[in-house]
Amino acid sequence: MAAPKDACDLKTARLWRDAALRSRKLRSSLRQLTLSCGEQNKLILPEDLGDVEVLNLGNNSLEDVPDGLRSLSAGNLHVLILRRNKLLSVPSAVYELGRLTELDMSHNRLSCLTEAVGLLSQLKKLCLSHNKLQTLPRQIGSLVHLEELDVSFNRMSQLPDAMQGLARLRALDLDHNELCSFPQQILQLPALEELDFSGNKMLCSSGSLPDGIQAMKPLKILWLSSTGLCTLPDSFCELTSMESLMLDNNNLSSLPEGFGALQKLRMINLSSNSFQDFPKTLLCLQELEELYLSRNKMTVLPEGISSLFRLVTLWLDNNRIRYLPDSIVELGLLEELVLQGNQIAILPDNFGKLSKVNIWKIKDNPLIQPPYEVCMKGIPYIAAYQKELAHSQPAVKPRLKLVLTGLKEAGKTVLRHCLTDGQQASCILGNTGIEVTNWTADAERGITFIVYDLAGDQSYDIINPFFLSPGALYILAVNLKSYVSKQFYMSVGYFLHFISAKVPHAVVCIVGTHADLCEETDIEEKCLDIHHQIALQEKKDSETLQSLAQTVDEALSQDYDMRASNPHAAFYGVSDKNLRRKKAQYQYLMNNRLQILSPVLCVSCHNYSNIRRLREKLLSVAEHREIFPNLHRVLPKSWQMLEELHFKPQELWLTWWDSARLGLQAGLTEDRLQSALSYLHESGKLLYFEDNATLKEYVFHNLTKLIDILNVFFQRDASVLLQKLMSDANVDDLRATQFHHYVEGFLLHGLLPTHVIKLLLKPHIKTQQDLQLILELLEKMGLCYCINKPKSKPLNGATAWYKFPCYVKNEVPHAEAWINGTNLSGQSLAVEQLQIEYSFPFLFPPGLFARFSVQINSHIVHRSDGKFQIFAYRGKVPVVVSFRHSKGALQSDILSIASHASLPNIWTAWQAITPLVEELNGLLLEWPGLYYTVHVLCSKCLKRGSPNPHTFPGKILFCHGKYCLFLHGWVFVYITVLQYI
């Protein structure tokens, strides 16, 4: 049976173990009865229960057992379930049920177990987990038939000596108690096969197990997670029956030399330890199927890994591994391979042989070969790439993406011309949009830049992020003439946050422009100020992340039950697994800060010597293999030929078959074309959406024309738009008036009909098919949506209208009655509000609200939009999406999604916002360096109008298909569960 993927996920672990126990002892053939409390919260037993063998009274909040339970002592009752009640002690009536073979009293409030437990002499299974027990009575040893004992999550610091009398005990669960050393009594249990001792800190034994551990020879499953282990004794290697071993989250740095004697071992978890070298003794374990070595300090994986030929699961994430041995491709049974967070640059040849791998994680590695974009697509794409590389000649064509960004009038466009034209610029007008230029910077060295000059106008905020990508070099232009210290964040700091959120670890060169308009002393003073404030901002951001990580560490040091018992506690209800994920996220953000080149390079486009210095700086950085390893990556020659062939046609798009014909010219058959096109899309060379039913039949190869189209929609100049519409000499006054009306509606409300869009896009759009594909593409990018698109039938000749949410000017949409919680008659509705808040303390991604507005359109009806608020319905359920700017430096930007319903119907409110939350989470995945938090607001606080409602961590919503109970004051709000990021 497969072990859980993270041993410290206690819930998963327990489900796994319980399933194993149930598989050995099913009781489906027994006559069972489950009872629940009635309307008066009182439980009454039926009169005739003589034939009942299993009685389930769990989940009833009982403080005592019902009358009549004692009378069952003479019947056939064998199993009694009292879990999840409020019992302070074991009721005396229970002790009289001498025929019981199974008793479950977990999740109560028991503080002690009396000596009367000895009366239950026939017990085979006793479950007392999640109580407040400090010890067990010596009479526990008289339960000579006991096979399974679960006392996990209690407060026991010692075990009674009498426990060694449990000669038939096969499974013992002691995890998360207060046992500070390994109990000697356990060594005397001759039949013990399963032991969970996780979460007990073995401080008194200096982080080690007793030498007598070899006495536990029958042991098959042993859990020692989070126990503080530093070493394993040599005698441990005599436990030759061991099949499953959990040693994660300890301080182990080595294994005993004789560890290979554990030949029956099928699963071992050594994650979160201190291994610097791969434990080579593991290579002797011929039966091993699952190996977890995540979060260690290993740098090398041995060539002998292929000897573990039965491996199905191999987790090596978050180590320091630099390369993989060629022999890893011989692990033909592998289904899970997790390598993320290492230093792997090159995958072995024939890596595609690992065709059975279906769980594959490789991100956060400096991959060169195959290219990162190929590796992220999965093993089939790696196989296709390597096959193609072997089939055709490899080729290297260094070409680096250079992105110019900065405020409007920062001098980006003039700087671009000076760099690319190789001469002084004169009378160059500012950029009217996004422009792309190919620049052969050094023909002899063969270095070419693709220069993206991003518009500084705020109207382009929604599309600028599309052009930020990993592996690019960024120039942040700062106008030194207009720069003042108090405007640092607007001129510099914001752009650093922007780039870092979209492309962590990006390389940024800060260039001060208009130096000829400044005095020498001003230039020096302003450059020093920029350097100083960058350092302060970086320090503040780093300290904030470190503080957050420390808060997570403090929460992890607490017991989970403690976090789950108080709604006001930090990370209330958040599992250890999710806390570790959160800490890993913080660590990733801290480890991937921007690489800001120093010093600030000051240039003047009237002094070419400074421009020459900048050119040389860019070339030297581009050639640095450690900074830009991907610039020198090898590609199959056929892939490079395919890219070049796609650049030649001047059409706006190609059909799949047109692209396939170009593929044949490059030597690519149709079955090999898919991977090449996918790579070109992922690397930003063209657009090919294989996940879209309509767009997958087309390839958008002409990015220059596409950018020209985007510039039409986002430069927001009424005169330019009117000029495009009235370029036809036959426009009469009536038509001119209509055009004015359309332009006004577009700039105020973002609305345009398709025939006007077609006129605006002349000469790029030549056919109706061109228009439909471009609109489909814009909708896919989240830039606009059709407000009257039918779900099935065509519009029957009616004009289709498209809305661009980023143009909406009205601050507040039309307010419906339900927004204020009232019905049409004005009477207050007894409703509970469900509200989820996303908080962005550093940066709210530019254009996110507008794109989110587009993405949710297919999920909502009867929408009414404001600039930062949307009122709509999901079916008949109201939803509100709103954005609130921070009011100060210490506050965060907030995006919230809300709905409401009466308490019995709160499930419908949750169903209403679930798809909206999923859409937002999908958009946020595009910002890997963005820090944000997710919270659920307390319904009671919202109802009473509290300005600072209590928040519950979004991370507690992580168990699909179940319910969470939020308790604040005396109000309960039940909501379904959704996985948050």
Side-chain angles (χ1 to χ4, degrees), residues 587-608:
Q587 198 63 52
Y588 172 78
L589 295 177
M590 287 188 286
N591 294 342
N592 289 275
R593 308 301 299 161
L594 289 179
Q595 303 174 76
I596 302 173
L597 304 179
S598 188
V600 174
L601 294 174
C602 302
V603 300
S604 165
C605 293
H606 298 288
N607 182 351
Y608 192 67

Side-chain angles (χ1 to χ4, degrees), residues 622-657:
E623 283 195 309
H624 203 297
R625 286 181 176 267
E626 290 187 8
I627 298 178
F628 290 109
N630 287 341
L631 184 62
H632 303 278
R633 62 188 172 190
V634 177
L635 287 177
K637 190 173 182 179
S638 56
W639 286 25
Q640 289 205 347
M641 286 181 62
L642 181 70
E643 178 184 341
E644 293 169 3
L645 288 170
H646 274 79
F647 284 161
K648 293 180 180 179
Q650 295 302 307
E651 295 88 350
L652 185 56
W653 48 267
L654 297 173
T655 66
W656 163 261
W657 296 111

Side-chain angles (χ1 to χ4, degrees), residues 682-710:
E682 296 293 337
S683 57
K685 306 297 174 54
L686 49 75
L687 297 179
Y688 172 60
F689 298 97
E690 54 187 311
D691 61 340
N692 184 283
T694 301
L695 297 178
K696 70 179 181 180
E697 300 298 327
Y698 303 91
V699 176
F700 296 89
H701 65 295
N702 198 331
L703 293 186
T704 303
K705 281 192 175 182
L706 287 176
I707 290 172
D708 289 342
I709 288 172
L710 293 177

Side-chain angles (χ1 to χ4, degrees), residues 922-935:
L923 288 173
L924 290 172
L925 288 176
E926 300 175 11
W927 298 83
L930 180 70
Y931 170 67
Y932 62 93
T933 59
V934 186
H935 292 92

Side-chain angles (χ1 to χ4, degrees), residues 333-520:
L333 298 180
L334 266 187
E335 296 178 7
E336 297 183 20
L337 182 54
V338 179
L339 299 169
Q340 68 187 42
N342 280 287
Q343 299 298 316
I344 301 168
I346 298 175
L347 295 181
D349 293 337
N350 299 317
F351 197 77
K353 286 176 63 177
L354 300 174
S355 57
K356 291 187 177 181
V357 172
N358 53 64
I359 294 180
W360 163 248
K361 297 182 181 180
I362 190 65
K363 69 176 184 177
D364 301 335
N365 280 282
L367 291 160
I368 303 173
Q369 190 70 3
Y372 183 83
E373 297 85 358
V374 174
C375 293
M376 289 299 291
K377 295 290 287 185
I379 302 295
Y381 288 85
I382 294 173
Y385 169 87
Q386 292 185 327
K387 181 180 179 181
E388 192 59 37
L389 197 62
H391 187 268
S392 65
Q393 294 179 341
V396 179
K397 187 178 181 181
R399 184 161 63 170
L400 183 62
K401 185 175 182 179
L402 181 65
V403 180
L404 277 70
T405 188
L407 282 176
K408 188 177 182 180
E409 299 180 355
K412 300 185 297 296
T413 302
V414 176
L415 177 62
R416 170 169 59 87
H417 279 282
C418 289
L419 284 171
T420 58
D421 297 343
Q423 57 187 4
Q424 291 182 198
S426 59
C427 299
I428 296 174
L429 296 176
N431 195 351
T432 57
I434 297 169
E435 295 187 24
V436 183
T437 310
N438 283 304
W439 171 34
T440 303
D442 192 314
E444 291 184 5
R445 287 184 278 184
I447 297 180
T448 301
F449 289 93
I450 306 175
V451 185
Y452 283 76
D453 182 1
L454 303 187
D457 194 298
Q458 286 187 345
S459 59
Y460 286 85
D461 281 354
I462 191 171
I463 56 174
N464 277 340
F466 286 106
F467 303 99
L468 273 59
S469 57
L473 172 58
Y474 294 86
I475 289 180
L476 173 54
V478 183
N479 186 336
L480 293 179
K481 172 63 178 175
S482 60
Y483 174 80
V484 292
S485 182
K486 65 181 180 180
Q487 294 180 349
F488 163 80
Y489 189 76
M490 182 176 66
S491 304
V492 181
Y494 165 80
F495 290 97
L496 296 180
H497 276 161
F498 171 45
I499 297 170
S500 179
K502 185 69 174 177
V503 190
H505 210 55
V507 182
V508 181
C509 178
I510 299 178
V511 177
T513 62
H514 301 85
D516 57 306
L517 303 179
C518 304
E519 298 291 338
E520 288 290 335

Side-chain angles (χ1 to χ4, degrees), residues 1-2 4 11-26 125 148 194 221 223:
M1 181 175 289
K11 184 173 183 179
T12 304
R14 192 158 290 102
L15 289 173
W16 178 85
R17 186 172 57 255
D18 287 349
L21 295 174
R22 285 195 301 272
S23 69
R24 291 197 302 270
K25 183 181 178 182
L26 296 176
K125 182 176 180 179
E148 302 171 23
E194 301 181 18
I221 298 175
W223 300 56

